[in-house]
Amino acid sequence: MAACEKIFSEQVSSIAIRPQLQAAIDFVREGDRLIVTKIDRLARSVSDLLTIINTLERKKVAIRILNLGMDTETPTGKLMLTVLAGVAQFEREIMLERQREGVAKAKAAGKYKGRKPIASDLQQEVIRLVASGKSKVNIAKELGIGEATVYRVLKNQDSKNQIIDK
């Protein structure tokens, strides 16, 4: 078990801003060791990893990857970390390519329908609440839908209005 002074945790998509990672990087001080469970929890690409490593090196902070038993305090550890990051990025790109191929194949076979649309009464409620002056954030909370869904309903409504106006 790794003894840690402070634990930072987050679950976000690979393209999202990662405030907890940034907070961890800001928190560590010279002589500290940033401990992560897995390499893919630290960085999303080799360039991302190298940026993080360089930032931490400037602060004189080492990185330890628990599931690999790897530490950047040695030149061998740094080399292995970079090589494994390259392999991890390769695996991710292959997985995404297979996913795209699978979706294309399912679409061609007529089996891929995409996201199920929200009910029309819920769409009308979104439009009504916007017209009443409520904020989009509050509408999403009140109706139990994502804020992006509110914007999508409004975008669809705008495109329908443009068709009617013509």
Side-chain angles (χ1 to χ4, degrees):
M1 177 94 187
C4 298
E5 181 180 328
K6 186 167 174 90
I7 296 173
F8 298 86
S9 177
E10 68 189 352
Q11 283 188 308
V12 294
S13 77
S14 62
I15 59 171
I17 295 170
R18 301 173 64 199
Q20 289 297 304
L21 174 60
Q22 190 56 53
I25 291 170
D26 293 343
F27 177 80
V28 292
R29 299 166 305 280
E30 182 176 334
D32 283 350
R33 183 180 293 148
L34 179 66
I35 300 173
V36 295
T37 54
K38 294 168 40 177
I39 194 169
D40 64 345
R41 299 288 87 211
L42 178 62
R44 303 298 191 226
S45 66
V46 176
S47 63
D48 190 23
L49 177 68
L50 294 176
T51 300
I52 292 168
I53 289 173
N54 289 335
T55 301
L56 293 171
E57 280 181 345
R58 282 193 302 276
K59 293 181 82 169
K60 295 182 172 46
V61 172
I63 301 170
R64 181 166 175 222
I65 313 293
L66 293 179
N67 74 328
L68 301 174
M70 189 176 299
D71 204 314
T72 63
E73 289 182 319
T74 66
T76 304
K78 287 179 190 173
L79 171 67
M80 292 303 297
L81 185 59
T82 305
V83 168
L84 289 173
V87 170
Q89 181 174 345
F90 173 74
E91 286 177 338
R92 175 152 176 76
E93 288 171 3
I94 293 295
M95 183 270 303
L96 290 173
E97 183 178 313
R98 287 183 183 146
Q99 182 182 27
R100 283 189 295 272
E101 289 170 357
V103 167
K105 186 177 178 182
K107 282 182 178 179
K111 295 180 180 178
Y112 186 83
K113 308 288 189 233
R115 181 188 301 251
K116 184 178 176 183
I118 66 169
S120 62
D121 58 331
L122 191 57
Q123 291 180 29
Q124 294 306 314
E125 185 64 10
V126 167
I127 294 164
R128 186 186 69 74
L129 290 170
V130 167
S132 74
K134 266 202 166 178
S135 77
K136 291 162 186 72
V137 173
N138 288 336
I139 293 169
K141 286 179 184 175
E142 182 178 323
L143 299 178
I145 58 176
E147 201 174 331
T149 302
V150 173
Y151 282 97
R152 199 169 22 258
V153 166
L154 296 174
K155 182 180 175 188
N156 290 341
Q157 183 63 27
D158 284 346
S159 64
K160 286 178 186 175
N161 287 341
Q162 288 175 1
I163 293 169
I164 294 169
D165 291 343
K166 288 184 180 177

PDB file of all heavy atoms in Angstrom, residues 20-54:
ATOM      1  N   GLN A  20      -8.655  17.702 -11.194  1.00  0.00           N
ATOM      2  CA  GLN A  20      -8.007  17.009 -10.082  1.00  0.00           C
ATOM      3  C   GLN A  20      -6.548  16.686 -10.400  1.00  0.00           C
ATOM      4  O   GLN A  20      -5.693  16.763  -9.521  1.00  0.00           O
ATOM      5  CB  GLN A  20      -8.773  15.733  -9.713  1.00  0.00           C
ATOM      6  CG  GLN A  20     -10.102  16.002  -9.047  1.00  0.00           C
ATOM      7  CD  GLN A  20      -9.925  16.730  -7.726  1.00  0.00           C
ATOM      8  OE1 GLN A  20      -9.221  16.259  -6.836  1.00  0.00           O
ATOM      9  NE2 GLN A  20     -10.560  17.881  -7.599  1.00  0.00           N
ATOM     10  N   LEU A  21      -6.254  16.314 -11.639  1.00  0.00           N
ATOM     11  CA  LEU A  21      -4.860  16.077 -12.031  1.00  0.00           C
ATOM     12  C   LEU A  21      -4.074  17.373 -11.902  1.00  0.00           C
ATOM     13  O   LEU A  21      -2.974  17.380 -11.349  1.00  0.00           O
ATOM     14  CB  LEU A  21      -4.769  15.537 -13.459  1.00  0.00           C
ATOM     15  CG  LEU A  21      -3.351  15.404 -14.014  1.00  0.00           C
ATOM     16  CD1 LEU A  21      -2.511  14.449 -13.164  1.00  0.00           C
ATOM     17  CD2 LEU A  21      -3.375  14.957 -15.458  1.00  0.00           C
ATOM     18  N   GLN A  22      -4.642  18.464 -12.386  1.00  0.00           N
ATOM     19  CA  GLN A  22      -3.957  19.746 -12.278  1.00  0.00           C
ATOM     20  C   GLN A  22      -3.760  20.139 -10.821  1.00  0.00           C
ATOM     21  O   GLN A  22      -2.700  20.647 -10.449  1.00  0.00           O
ATOM     22  CB  GLN A  22      -4.717  20.841 -13.032  1.00  0.00           C
ATOM     23  CG  GLN A  22      -3.932  22.129 -13.164  1.00  0.00           C
ATOM     24  CD  GLN A  22      -2.582  21.938 -13.822  1.00  0.00           C
ATOM     25  OE1 GLN A  22      -2.482  21.376 -14.899  1.00  0.00           O
ATOM     26  NE2 GLN A  22      -1.523  22.388 -13.171  1.00  0.00           N
ATOM     27  N   ALA A  23      -4.759  19.872  -9.990  1.00  0.00           N
ATOM     28  CA  ALA A  23      -4.639  20.179  -8.557  1.00  0.00           C
ATOM     29  C   ALA A  23      -3.527  19.343  -7.923  1.00  0.00           C
ATOM     30  O   ALA A  23      -2.768  19.840  -7.085  1.00  0.00           O
ATOM     31  CB  ALA A  23      -5.966  19.917  -7.846  1.00  0.00           C
ATOM     32  N   ALA A  24      -3.406  18.080  -8.330  1.00  0.00           N
ATOM     33  CA  ALA A  24      -2.346  17.214  -7.799  1.00  0.00           C
ATOM     34  C   ALA A  24      -0.975  17.728  -8.217  1.00  0.00           C
ATOM     35  O   ALA A  24      -0.043  17.779  -7.401  1.00  0.00           O
ATOM     36  CB  ALA A  24      -2.552  15.778  -8.277  1.00  0.00           C
ATOM     37  N   ILE A  25      -0.853  18.130  -9.470  1.00  0.00           N
ATOM     38  CA  ILE A  25       0.422  18.659  -9.965  1.00  0.00           C
ATOM     39  C   ILE A  25       0.770  19.959  -9.239  1.00  0.00           C
ATOM     40  O   ILE A  25       1.925  20.191  -8.877  1.00  0.00           O
ATOM     41  CB  ILE A  25       0.368  18.857 -11.495  1.00  0.00           C
ATOM     42  CG1 ILE A  25       0.323  17.485 -12.192  1.00  0.00           C
ATOM     43  CG2 ILE A  25       1.560  19.678 -11.985  1.00  0.00           C
ATOM     44  CD1 ILE A  25       0.035  17.542 -13.678  1.00  0.00           C
ATOM     45  N   ASP A  26      -0.235  20.800  -8.997  1.00  0.00           N
ATOM     46  CA  ASP A  26      -0.004  22.048  -8.258  1.00  0.00           C
ATOM     47  C   ASP A  26       0.367  21.772  -6.800  1.00  0.00           C
ATOM     48  O   ASP A  26       1.146  22.515  -6.200  1.00  0.00           O
ATOM     49  CB  ASP A  26      -1.245  22.935  -8.303  1.00  0.00           C
ATOM     50  CG  ASP A  26      -1.551  23.466  -9.701  1.00  0.00           C
ATOM     51  OD1 ASP A  26      -0.656  23.424 -10.565  1.00  0.00           O
ATOM     52  OD2 ASP A  26      -2.700  23.893  -9.926  1.00  0.00           O
ATOM     53  N   PHE A  27      -0.183  20.707  -6.231  1.00  0.00           N
ATOM     54  CA  PHE A  27       0.002  20.387  -4.811  1.00  0.00           C
ATOM     55  C   PHE A  27       1.403  19.861  -4.497  1.00  0.00           C
ATOM     56  O   PHE A  27       1.971  20.199  -3.460  1.00  0.00           O
ATOM     57  CB  PHE A  27      -1.044  19.355  -4.380  1.00  0.00           C
ATOM     58  CG  PHE A  27      -0.910  18.900  -2.953  1.00  0.00           C
ATOM     59  CD1 PHE A  27      -1.391  19.679  -1.914  1.00  0.00           C
ATOM     60  CD2 PHE A  27      -0.298  17.691  -2.647  1.00  0.00           C
ATOM     61  CE1 PHE A  27      -1.278  19.263  -0.596  1.00  0.00           C
ATOM     62  CE2 PHE A  27      -0.175  17.261  -1.331  1.00  0.00           C
ATOM     63  CZ  PHE A  27      -0.670  18.051  -0.305  1.00  0.00           C
ATOM     64  N   VAL A  28       1.962  19.034  -5.383  1.00  0.00           N
ATOM     65  CA  VAL A  28       3.246  18.385  -5.073  1.00  0.00           C
ATOM     66  C   VAL A  28       4.375  19.403  -4.980  1.00  0.00           C
ATOM     67  O   VAL A  28       4.360  20.434  -5.648  1.00  0.00           O
ATOM     68  CB  VAL A  28       3.596  17.278  -6.101  1.00  0.00           C
ATOM     69  CG1 VAL A  28       2.634  16.116  -5.980  1.00  0.00           C
ATOM     70  CG2 VAL A  28       3.642  17.815  -7.511  1.00  0.00           C
ATOM     71  N   ARG A  29       5.343  19.077  -4.111  1.00  0.00           N
ATOM     72  CA  ARG A  29       6.482  19.952  -3.872  1.00  0.00           C
ATOM     73  C   ARG A  29       7.783  19.196  -4.132  1.00  0.00           C
ATOM     74  O   ARG A  29       7.785  17.968  -4.268  1.00  0.00           O
ATOM     75  CB  ARG A  29       6.461  20.445  -2.423  1.00  0.00           C
ATOM     76  CG  ARG A  29       5.221  21.242  -2.071  1.00  0.00           C
ATOM     77  CD  ARG A  29       5.016  21.436  -0.578  1.00  0.00           C
ATOM     78  NE  ARG A  29       4.979  20.243   0.235  1.00  0.00           N
ATOM     79  CZ  ARG A  29       3.932  19.433   0.390  1.00  0.00           C
ATOM     80  NH1 ARG A  29       2.816  19.665  -0.265  1.00  0.00           N
ATOM     81  NH2 ARG A  29       3.994  18.388   1.173  1.00  0.00           N
ATOM     82  N   GLU A  30       8.862  19.915  -4.205  1.00  0.00           N
ATOM     83  CA  GLU A  30      10.178  19.312  -4.443  1.00  0.00           C
ATOM     84  C   GLU A  30      10.412  18.148  -3.472  1.00  0.00           C
ATOM     85  O   GLU A  30      10.154  18.268  -2.277  1.00  0.00           O
ATOM     86  CB  GLU A  30      11.274  20.366  -4.260  1.00  0.00           C
ATOM     87  CG  GLU A  30      12.664  19.836  -4.543  1.00  0.00           C
ATOM     88  CD  GLU A  30      13.739  20.909  -4.454  1.00  0.00           C
ATOM     89  OE1 GLU A  30      13.430  22.097  -4.664  1.00  0.00           O
ATOM     90  OE2 GLU A  30      14.889  20.525  -4.175  1.00  0.00           O
ATOM     91  N   GLY A  31      10.859  17.033  -4.040  1.00  0.00           N
ATOM     92  CA  GLY A  31      11.133  15.845  -3.235  1.00  0.00           C
ATOM     93  C   GLY A  31       9.944  14.911  -3.087  1.00  0.00           C
ATOM     94  O   GLY A  31      10.090  13.782  -2.613  1.00  0.00           O
ATOM     95  N   ASP A  32       8.764  15.345  -3.488  1.00  0.00           N
ATOM     96  CA  ASP A  32       7.573  14.493  -3.416  1.00  0.00           C
ATOM     97  C   ASP A  32       7.590  13.447  -4.527  1.00  0.00           C
ATOM     98  O   ASP A  32       8.380  13.531  -5.482  1.00  0.00           O
ATOM     99  CB  ASP A  32       6.291  15.332  -3.574  1.00  0.00           C
ATOM    100  CG  ASP A  32       5.927  16.094  -2.315  1.00  0.00           C
ATOM    101  OD1 ASP A  32       6.541  15.851  -1.260  1.00  0.00           O
ATOM    102  OD2 ASP A  32       5.022  16.945  -2.396  1.00  0.00           O
ATOM    103  N   ARG A  33       6.706  12.506  -4.401  1.00  0.00           N
ATOM    104  CA  ARG A  33       6.488  11.492  -5.431  1.00  0.00           C
ATOM    105  C   ARG A  33       4.992  11.447  -5.707  1.00  0.00           C
ATOM    106  O   ARG A  33       4.205  11.210  -4.804  1.00  0.00           O
ATOM    107  CB  ARG A  33       6.983  10.135  -4.949  1.00  0.00           C
ATOM    108  CG  ARG A  33       6.849   9.057  -6.008  1.00  0.00           C
ATOM    109  CD  ARG A  33       7.346   7.720  -5.525  1.00  0.00           C
ATOM    110  NE  ARG A  33       8.779   7.780  -5.323  1.00  0.00           N
ATOM    111  CZ  ARG A  33       9.418   7.079  -4.376  1.00  0.00           C
ATOM    112  NH1 ARG A  33       8.747   6.298  -3.566  1.00  0.00           N
ATOM    113  NH2 ARG A  33      10.710   7.174  -4.254  1.00  0.00           N
ATOM    114  N   LEU A  34       4.609  11.691  -6.966  1.00  0.00           N
ATOM    115  CA  LEU A  34       3.215  11.587  -7.381  1.00  0.00           C
ATOM    116  C   LEU A  34       2.947  10.119  -7.678  1.00  0.00           C
ATOM    117  O   LEU A  34       3.593   9.523  -8.534  1.00  0.00           O
ATOM    118  CB  LEU A  34       2.951  12.444  -8.625  1.00  0.00           C
ATOM    119  CG  LEU A  34       1.522  12.406  -9.173  1.00  0.00           C
ATOM    120  CD1 LEU A  34       0.550  13.043  -8.178  1.00  0.00           C
ATOM    121  CD2 LEU A  34       1.442  13.114 -10.511  1.00  0.00           C
ATOM    122  N   ILE A  35       2.000   9.541  -6.963  1.00  0.00           N
ATOM    123  CA  ILE A  35       1.693   8.123  -7.119  1.00  0.00           C
ATOM    124  C   ILE A  35       0.364   7.990  -7.849  1.00  0.00           C
ATOM    125  O   ILE A  35      -0.634   8.580  -7.440  1.00  0.00           O
ATOM    126  CB  ILE A  35       1.627   7.425  -5.742  1.00  0.00           C
ATOM    127  CG1 ILE A  35       2.977   7.562  -5.040  1.00  0.00           C
ATOM    128  CG2 ILE A  35       1.231   5.963  -5.893  1.00  0.00           C
ATOM    129  CD1 ILE A  35       2.987   7.058  -3.611  1.00  0.00           C
ATOM    130  N   VAL A  36       0.383   7.196  -8.935  1.00  0.00           N
ATOM    131  CA  VAL A  36      -0.834   6.927  -9.690  1.00  0.00           C
ATOM    132  C   VAL A  36      -1.030   5.419  -9.787  1.00  0.00           C
ATOM    133  O   VAL A  36      -0.067   4.659  -9.755  1.00  0.00           O
ATOM    134  CB  VAL A  36      -0.812   7.562 -11.098  1.00  0.00           C
ATOM    135  CG1 VAL A  36      -0.792   9.069 -11.003  1.00  0.00           C
ATOM    136  CG2 VAL A  36       0.345   7.068 -11.911  1.00  0.00           C
ATOM    137  N   THR A  37      -2.285   4.999  -9.884  1.00  0.00           N
ATOM    138  CA  THR A  37      -2.564   3.560  -9.920  1.00  0.00           C
ATOM    139  C   THR A  37      -2.151   2.934 -11.240  1.00  0.00           C
ATOM    140  O   THR A  37      -1.570   1.857 -11.262  1.00  0.00           O
ATOM    141  CB  THR A  37      -4.058   3.284  -9.678  1.00  0.00           C
ATOM    142  OG1 THR A  37      -4.824   4.038 -10.617  1.00  0.00           O
ATOM    143  CG2 THR A  37      -4.457   3.648  -8.259  1.00  0.00           C
ATOM    144  N   LYS A  38      -2.469   3.618 -12.355  1.00  0.00           N
ATOM    145  CA  LYS A  38      -2.165   3.082 -13.685  1.00  0.00           C
ATOM    146  C   LYS A  38      -1.730   4.217 -14.588  1.00  0.00           C
ATOM    147  O   LYS A  38      -2.165   5.359 -14.411  1.00  0.00           O
ATOM    148  CB  LYS A  38      -3.413   2.405 -14.285  1.00  0.00           C
ATOM    149  CG  LYS A  38      -3.849   1.167 -13.536  1.00  0.00           C
ATOM    150  CD  LYS A  38      -5.218   0.626 -13.904  1.00  0.00           C
ATOM    151  CE  LYS A  38      -5.576   0.651 -15.346  1.00  0.00           C
ATOM    152  NZ  LYS A  38      -6.887   0.053 -15.625  1.00  0.00           N
ATOM    153  N   ILE A  39      -0.923   3.892 -15.580  1.00  0.00           N
ATOM    154  CA  ILE A  39      -0.396   4.919 -16.487  1.00  0.00           C
ATOM    155  C   ILE A  39      -1.507   5.633 -17.244  1.00  0.00           C
ATOM    156  O   ILE A  39      -1.444   6.838 -17.467  1.00  0.00           O
ATOM    157  CB  ILE A  39       0.651   4.315 -17.456  1.00  0.00           C
ATOM    158  CG1 ILE A  39       1.441   5.425 -18.135  1.00  0.00           C
ATOM    159  CG2 ILE A  39       0.013   3.393 -18.456  1.00  0.00           C
ATOM    160  CD1 ILE A  39       2.640   4.931 -18.895  1.00  0.00           C
ATOM    161  N   ASP A  40      -2.571   4.900 -17.608  1.00  0.00           N
ATOM    162  CA  ASP A  40      -3.654   5.540 -18.362  1.00  0.00           C
ATOM    163  C   ASP A  40      -4.503   6.462 -17.501  1.00  0.00           C
ATOM    164  O   ASP A  40      -5.313   7.224 -18.001  1.00  0.00           O
ATOM    165  CB  ASP A  40      -4.519   4.513 -19.097  1.00  0.00           C
ATOM    166  CG  ASP A  40      -5.249   3.568 -18.161  1.00  0.00           C
ATOM    167  OD1 ASP A  40      -4.902   3.488 -16.969  1.00  0.00           O
ATOM    168  OD2 ASP A  40      -6.174   2.889 -18.637  1.00  0.00           O
ATOM    169  N   ARG A  41      -4.340   6.418 -16.191  1.00  0.00           N
ATOM    170  CA  ARG A  41      -5.010   7.356 -15.293  1.00  0.00           C
ATOM    171  C   ARG A  41      -4.248   8.675 -15.227  1.00  0.00           C
ATOM    172  O   ARG A  41      -4.787   9.693 -14.838  1.00  0.00           O
ATOM    173  CB  ARG A  41      -5.112   6.791 -13.864  1.00  0.00           C
ATOM    174  CG  ARG A  41      -5.899   5.514 -13.737  1.00  0.00           C
ATOM    175  CD  ARG A  41      -7.387   5.701 -13.913  1.00  0.00           C
ATOM    176  NE  ARG A  41      -7.747   5.612 -15.319  1.00  0.00           N
ATOM    177  CZ  ARG A  41      -8.736   6.253 -15.903  1.00  0.00           C
ATOM    178  NH1 ARG A  41      -9.505   7.071 -15.246  1.00  0.00           N
ATOM    179  NH2 ARG A  41      -8.988   6.121 -17.183  1.00  0.00           N
ATOM    180  N   LEU A  42      -2.959   8.629 -15.613  1.00  0.00           N
ATOM    181  CA  LEU A  42      -2.128   9.824 -15.549  1.00  0.00           C
ATOM    182  C   LEU A  42      -2.189  10.629 -16.842  1.00  0.00           C
ATOM    183  O   LEU A  42      -2.371  11.835 -16.816  1.00  0.00           O
ATOM    184  CB  LEU A  42      -0.674   9.433 -15.256  1.00  0.00           C
ATOM    185  CG  LEU A  42       0.345  10.577 -15.212  1.00  0.00           C
ATOM    186  CD1 LEU A  42      -0.003  11.558 -14.094  1.00  0.00           C
ATOM    187  CD2 LEU A  42       1.743  10.015 -15.019  1.00  0.00           C
ATOM    188  N   ALA A  43      -2.040   9.953 -17.979  1.00  0.00           N
ATOM    189  CA  ALA A  43      -1.932  10.653 -19.254  1.00  0.00           C
ATOM    190  C   ALA A  43      -2.756   9.949 -20.315  1.00  0.00           C
ATOM    191  O   ALA A  43      -2.957   8.739 -20.259  1.00  0.00           O
ATOM    192  CB  ALA A  43      -0.468  10.733 -19.675  1.00  0.00           C
ATOM    193  N   ARG A  44      -3.210  10.729 -21.301  1.00  0.00           N
ATOM    194  CA  ARG A  44      -4.055  10.196 -22.376  1.00  0.00           C
ATOM    195  C   ARG A  44      -3.274   9.908 -23.650  1.00  0.00           C
ATOM    196  O   ARG A  44      -3.778   9.280 -24.552  1.00  0.00           O
ATOM    197  CB  ARG A  44      -5.179  11.184 -22.688  1.00  0.00           C
ATOM    198  CG  ARG A  44      -6.035  11.525 -21.497  1.00  0.00           C
ATOM    199  CD  ARG A  44      -6.730  10.312 -20.950  1.00  0.00           C
ATOM    200  NE  ARG A  44      -7.742  10.688 -19.976  1.00  0.00           N
ATOM    201  CZ  ARG A  44      -7.893  10.100 -18.820  1.00  0.00           C
ATOM    202  NH1 ARG A  44      -7.103   9.120 -18.471  1.00  0.00           N
ATOM    203  NH2 ARG A  44      -8.837  10.480 -17.993  1.00  0.00           N
ATOM    204  N   SER A  45      -2.027  10.409 -23.732  1.00  0.00           N
ATOM    205  CA  SER A  45      -1.194  10.193 -24.910  1.00  0.00           C
ATOM    206  C   SER A  45       0.261  10.318 -24.485  1.00  0.00           C
ATOM    207  O   SER A  45       0.558  10.776 -23.380  1.00  0.00           O
ATOM    208  CB  SER A  45      -1.511  11.214 -25.991  1.00  0.00           C
ATOM    209  OG  SER A  45      -1.137  12.506 -25.554  1.00  0.00           O
ATOM    210  N   VAL A  46       1.159   9.934 -25.390  1.00  0.00           N
ATOM    211  CA  VAL A  46       2.587  10.049 -25.080  1.00  0.00           C
ATOM    212  C   VAL A  46       2.956  11.515 -24.885  1.00  0.00           C
ATOM    213  O   VAL A  46       3.668  11.852 -23.933  1.00  0.00           O
ATOM    214  CB  VAL A  46       3.444   9.412 -26.198  1.00  0.00           C
ATOM    215  CG1 VAL A  46       4.919   9.624 -25.934  1.00  0.00           C
ATOM    216  CG2 VAL A  46       3.152   7.927 -26.320  1.00  0.00           C
ATOM    217  N   SER A  47       2.463  12.384 -25.754  1.00  0.00           N
ATOM    218  CA  SER A  47       2.803  13.809 -25.610  1.00  0.00           C
ATOM    219  C   SER A  47       2.254  14.372 -24.296  1.00  0.00           C
ATOM    220  O   SER A  47       2.921  15.179 -23.639  1.00  0.00           O
ATOM    221  CB  SER A  47       2.303  14.618 -26.798  1.00  0.00           C
ATOM    222  OG  SER A  47       0.901  14.564 -26.883  1.00  0.00           O
ATOM    223  N   ASP A  48       1.056  13.940 -23.907  1.00  0.00           N
ATOM    224  CA  ASP A  48       0.462  14.358 -22.639  1.00  0.00           C
ATOM    225  C   ASP A  48       1.348  13.884 -21.476  1.00  0.00           C
ATOM    226  O   ASP A  48       1.648  14.640 -20.554  1.00  0.00           O
ATOM    227  CB  ASP A  48      -0.951  13.772 -22.524  1.00  0.00           C
ATOM    228  CG  ASP A  48      -1.757  14.324 -21.371  1.00  0.00           C
ATOM    229  OD1 ASP A  48      -1.462  15.440 -20.906  1.00  0.00           O
ATOM    230  OD2 ASP A  48      -2.713  13.640 -20.949  1.00  0.00           O
ATOM    231  N   LEU A  49       1.786  12.626 -21.543  1.00  0.00           N
ATOM    232  CA  LEU A  49       2.649  12.078 -20.493  1.00  0.00           C
ATOM    233  C   LEU A  49       3.959  12.848 -20.409  1.00  0.00           C
ATOM    234  O   LEU A  49       4.406  13.203 -19.311  1.00  0.00           O
ATOM    235  CB  LEU A  49       2.927  10.595 -20.743  1.00  0.00           C
ATOM    236  CG  LEU A  49       3.887   9.949 -19.731  1.00  0.00           C
ATOM    237  CD1 LEU A  49       3.238   9.880 -18.356  1.00  0.00           C
ATOM    238  CD2 LEU A  49       4.300   8.566 -20.193  1.00  0.00           C
ATOM    239  N   LEU A  50       4.575  13.113 -21.562  1.00  0.00           N
ATOM    240  CA  LEU A  50       5.856  13.827 -21.554  1.00  0.00           C
ATOM    241  C   LEU A  50       5.701  15.234 -20.991  1.00  0.00           C
ATOM    242  O   LEU A  50       6.578  15.709 -20.256  1.00  0.00           O
ATOM    243  CB  LEU A  50       6.452  13.851 -22.957  1.00  0.00           C
ATOM    244  CG  LEU A  50       6.861  12.487 -23.516  1.00  0.00           C
ATOM    245  CD1 LEU A  50       7.345  12.609 -24.946  1.00  0.00           C
ATOM    246  CD2 LEU A  50       7.906  11.817 -22.636  1.00  0.00           C
ATOM    247  N   THR A  51       4.596  15.879 -21.282  1.00  0.00           N
ATOM    248  CA  THR A  51       4.337  17.210 -20.721  1.00  0.00           C
ATOM    249  C   THR A  51       4.225  17.130 -19.201  1.00  0.00           C
ATOM    250  O   THR A  51       4.809  17.948 -18.480  1.00  0.00           O
ATOM    251  CB  THR A  51       3.041  17.802 -21.321  1.00  0.00           C
ATOM    252  OG1 THR A  51       3.199  17.902 -22.730  1.00  0.00           O
ATOM    253  CG2 THR A  51       2.723  19.161 -20.731  1.00  0.00           C
ATOM    254  N   ILE A  52       3.486  16.131 -18.713  1.00  0.00           N
ATOM    255  CA  ILE A  52       3.323  15.960 -17.262  1.00  0.00           C
ATOM    256  C   ILE A  52       4.662  15.643 -16.607  1.00  0.00           C
ATOM    257  O   ILE A  52       5.018  16.222 -15.574  1.00  0.00           O
ATOM    258  CB  ILE A  52       2.274  14.866 -16.956  1.00  0.00           C
ATOM    259  CG1 ILE A  52       0.885  15.343 -17.392  1.00  0.00           C
ATOM    260  CG2 ILE A  52       2.284  14.491 -15.476  1.00  0.00           C
ATOM    261  CD1 ILE A  52      -0.172  14.251 -17.409  1.00  0.00           C
ATOM    262  N   ILE A  53       5.428  14.721 -17.223  1.00  0.00           N
ATOM    263  CA  ILE A  53       6.744  14.361 -16.676  1.00  0.00           C
ATOM    264  C   ILE A  53       7.647  15.589 -16.617  1.00  0.00           C
ATOM    265  O   ILE A  53       8.295  15.843 -15.593  1.00  0.00           O
ATOM    266  CB  ILE A  53       7.396  13.236 -17.510  1.00  0.00           C
ATOM    267  CG1 ILE A  53       6.667  11.918 -17.285  1.00  0.00           C
ATOM    268  CG2 ILE A  53       8.877  13.092 -17.157  1.00  0.00           C
ATOM    269  CD1 ILE A  53       7.123  10.785 -18.194  1.00  0.00           C
ATOM    270  N   ASN A  54       7.688  16.381 -17.707  1.00  0.00           N
ATOM    271  CA  ASN A  54       8.532  17.583 -17.725  1.00  0.00           C
ATOM    272  C   ASN A  54       8.109  18.586 -16.660  1.00  0.00           C
ATOM    273  O   ASN A  54       8.953  19.181 -15.994  1.00  0.00           O
ATOM    274  CB  ASN A  54       8.513  18.230 -19.116  1.00  0.00           C
ATOM    275  CG  ASN A  54       9.272  17.415 -20.133  1.00  0.00           C
ATOM    276  OD1 ASN A  54      10.168  16.650 -19.788  1.00  0.00           O
ATOM    277  ND2 ASN A  54       8.904  17.564 -21.387  1.00  0.00           N
TER     278      ASN A  54
END
